[in-house]
Amino acid sequence: MGLTGTTLLLFTIEIALVVLGATVWWWPAFAKRHWRAVLGRVGLLFGSQLALLAVIGLLVNNYFSFYSSWNDLLGTGKDGPVSVKAAAAPAPPLGTTASPSASPTVEPEPANLPVLPAQELGKEPVDTTVGRDPQKVGEIRSVRIPGARTGLSTDGYVYLPPQYFQSGNEQRKFPAVIAMTGFPGDAKALITRFNYPGVALDEMRAGRMQPTVLILMRPSPAMPADPECENVPGGPQAETYFAKDVPRSIAAAYRISTAPGAWAVMGNSTGGYCAAKLAMRHPEVFAGGVSISGYLKAAEDVTTGDLFKGSQQRRDEADLLWRLQHLPMPATAIMLSGAEKGDGDFRKDADAFTAAAKAPMTTGVASVPEGGHNFTTWIKLLPAGFQFLSAHLKP
């Protein structure tokens, strides 16, 4: 009996109805003042509550696809390999240099963002022989990122790779990737659960990723609202915050290039939708975006409020598939990744998206055979996302 199947849900509902009926039927029999009667009432209450929680849990899981199977829930079964489909257009080779006209001038490194002491990488031990030496493992700094244009701000983390601290790189400027959680999310989870810095370090050491700075954030600078990375009329200008304010603030505090093609963005769930949308809307800023279990249309619910203020045009433009079908192709690279089975409409969305994309846009698809809308699935897809973006970032 499958975890997400209708059979299990209906069976659980039937059990819950039986338990609730038994609770109503037997309750008068346990009305006496006796320890056996007290235990009977406790048992009836516990059984009825457990049955209701089981029904609610299955309904929520079926809707959000947190776990796609019993193996996914229990962590059993064999992990399938990550499959990466070739990009729809040739990508620039790793190490391609930006044109001289786009090269930034070397400036002194200011320090106008608050920083906290370096923290451990999310995966221990990263390298038992080097400890916390930033020249070997890099450094994680906690920051609050202000938005000069929008007035928005949010907390996050910056991971500086080992090369940032190594001799000979004092004037070097690095490419950067903004990494986002789902909503509401906690930026710290990108370290403690995803291990973004540790995975990136492994990829850099293996030569599959160029030295890159990571900016780890949640997808909303206007909590508790979820603006879906939109510039909401009369509301938070979240799109401008991520596309303009964040690169400007971070590049002012760290040696990060501001040249075209030096930034990219990735994320999971809401963060994945934001990543693809920001890269498509701002190809002059983002060389690429990776959506991990993201979606193609902006969510509209109690957390978002009215994002479009009645404008169908704005709603359409927030639909990534609609953009491909009706607007000029952006010169950026987008990878969609997820589970072939159990991850909502990933396969359907990926097929429609890649079919609609044309040059100069580049697309890629990474997938695992089975998985839910959860950390277990997303972590498996991180290396493919890093490799895809690194091939398009211009150092």
Side-chain angles (χ1 to χ4, degrees):
M1 194 179 296
L3 179 62
T4 59
T6 304
T7 302
L8 177 62
L9 178 60
L10 292 177
F11 177 73
T12 306
I13 291 174
E14 290 175 359
I15 294 296
L17 291 174
V18 170
V19 171
L20 290 173
T23 300
V24 174
W25 179 266
W26 286 102
W27 192 261
F30 294 106
K32 301 176 182 179
R33 294 184 178 181
H34 190 274
W35 67 269
R36 290 190 180 90
V38 172
L39 287 179
R41 291 196 296 271
V42 170
L44 289 173
L45 288 173
F46 179 78
S48 60
Q49 295 301 307
L50 184 63
L52 284 174
L53 286 174
V55 172
I56 293 171
L58 286 173
L59 287 170
V60 171
N61 186 65
N62 287 357
Y63 183 81
F64 289 104
S65 299
F66 292 125
Y67 298 98
S68 63
S69 65
W70 291 109
N71 285 338
D72 194 19
L73 175 64
L74 301 175
T76 58
K78 297 181 179 180
D79 289 336
V82 176
S83 172
V84 179
K85 183 179 179 182
L94 183 62
T96 301
T97 305
S99 63
S101 61
S103 299
T105 57
V106 176
E107 301 172 352
E109 179 183 358
N112 59 353
L113 288 184
V115 298
L116 297 181
Q119 304 177 20
E120 295 286 353
L121 295 179
K123 182 180 179 182
E124 289 295 340
V126 175
D127 188 331
T128 56
T129 64
V130 297
R132 301 188 186 188
D133 184 353
Q135 295 190 38
K136 297 293 181 66
V137 299
E139 190 170 277
I140 299 173
R141 298 182 182 180
S142 177
V143 297
R144 184 160 187 84
I145 306 172
R149 298 190 183 194
T150 62
L152 300 171
S153 64
T154 189
D155 294 325
Y157 298 87
V158 171
Y159 171 64
L160 304 171
Q163 293 81 358
Y164 191 91
F165 304 96
Q166 293 170 0
S167 177
N169 289 337
E170 291 84 1
Q171 301 300 319
R172 178 179 178 181
K173 290 199 172 184
F174 292 81
V177 171
I178 297 174
M180 297 186 192
T181 67
F183 182 84
D186 180 356
K188 191 174 183 179
L190 297 174
I191 302 170
T192 59
R193 296 292 303 275
F194 271 103
N195 189 30
Y196 262 84
V199 175
L201 180 60
D202 288 343
E203 293 300 307
M204 286 185 279
R205 285 175 171 172
R208 295 185 293 263
M209 178 182 179
Q210 59 180 296
T212 304
V213 173
L214 304 181
I215 299 94
L216 311 172
M217 310 178 66
R218 66 187 353 160
S220 174
M223 294 294 293
D226 173 18
E228 295 283 296
C229 295
E230 280 286 317
N231 281 343
V232 181
Q237 305 296 287
E239 178 184 342
T240 299
Y241 175 75
F242 286 110
K244 304 296 182 183
D245 283 344
V246 172
R248 181 176 180 178
S249 293
I250 296 295
Y254 299 99
R255 297 195 314 275
I256 298 177
S257 174
T258 55
W263 283 73
V265 57
M266 67 190 299
N268 63 281
S269 193
T270 299
Y273 167 71
C274 283
K277 178 164 70 175
L278 288 169
M280 291 174 67
R281 285 187 170 183
H282 297 276
E284 77 284 0
V285 178
F286 300 112
V290 171
S291 174
I292 305 174
S293 289
Y295 39 88
L296 299 183
K297 292 183 179 180
E300 294 184 77
D301 54 33
V302 67
T303 66
T304 67
D306 185 3
L307 294 175
F308 310 111
K309 306 304 180 185
S311 171
Q312 185 59 44
Q313 179 180 351
R314 296 183 69 89
R315 180 175 285 102
D316 288 340
E317 290 177 353
D319 182 334
L320 305 187
L321 187 58
W322 185 94
R323 295 184 69 88
L324 291 181
Q325 295 168 341
H326 296 87
L327 298 179
M329 290 289 157
T332 191
I334 303 295
M335 170 177 272
L336 303 184
S337 57
E340 296 283 344
K341 179 182 178 183
D343 195 4
D345 294 327
F346 164 71
R347 184 70 264 172
K348 176 183 175 183
D349 288 348
D351 287 344
F353 189 88
T354 54
K358 303 290 186 297
M361 187 182 206
T362 299
T363 61
V365 176
S367 63
V368 293
E370 183 178 359
H373 199 73
N374 55 43
F375 286 101
T376 302
T377 299
W378 301 332
I379 290 169
K380 296 174 186 175
L381 296 164
L382 276 189
F386 279 138
Q387 294 166 30
F388 180 82
L389 292 182
S390 187
H392 294 86
L393 282 169
K394 294 189 171 58

